Amino acid sequence: MNFDKRSLDRLLSLDDAELSQIIREIAAEASVDASGISLGEAELKKLRTFLSIASADDIARLISGLGGGKNG
């Protein structure tokens, strides 16, 4: 899974329901049980803030930490 600037901008432009769904799909793809993950308004705001200021390396480490990037 690769995030370039364009795909990150698209992700950040999603509404909360769409962003929550994408997060759950990414978690499932990484074999992470997202059932206990709270994705309320406050958490999504924090995530949007992180993603808007994170470097490419920060995001790569996040994805790697979740077990992603193994297939792409």
Side-chain angles (χ1 to χ4, degrees):
M1 174 184 317
N2 295 318
F3 282 113
D4 58 18
K5 177 70 172 143
R6 186 181 310 170
S7 62
L8 184 58
D9 287 343
R10 272 193 309 243
L11 186 65
L12 291 172
S13 72
L14 297 175
D15 66 33
D16 285 354
E18 293 169 321
L19 182 57
S20 293
Q21 182 61 35
I22 295 295
I23 291 168
R24 292 187 188 288
E25 289 172 7
I26 291 170
E29 188 177 297
S31 300
V32 173
D33 179 12
S35 62
I37 297 175
S38 175
L39 294 173
E41 185 178 334
E43 290 81 15
L44 291 172
K45 183 177 180 180
K46 289 176 187 176
L47 180 62
R48 288 178 195 278
T49 299
F50 168 77
L51 291 174
S52 68
I53 62 173
S55 69
D57 287 341
D58 293 333
I59 294 170
R61 280 192 299 275
L62 175 65
I63 292 169
S64 178
L66 290 173
K70 294 177 183 173
N71 296 327

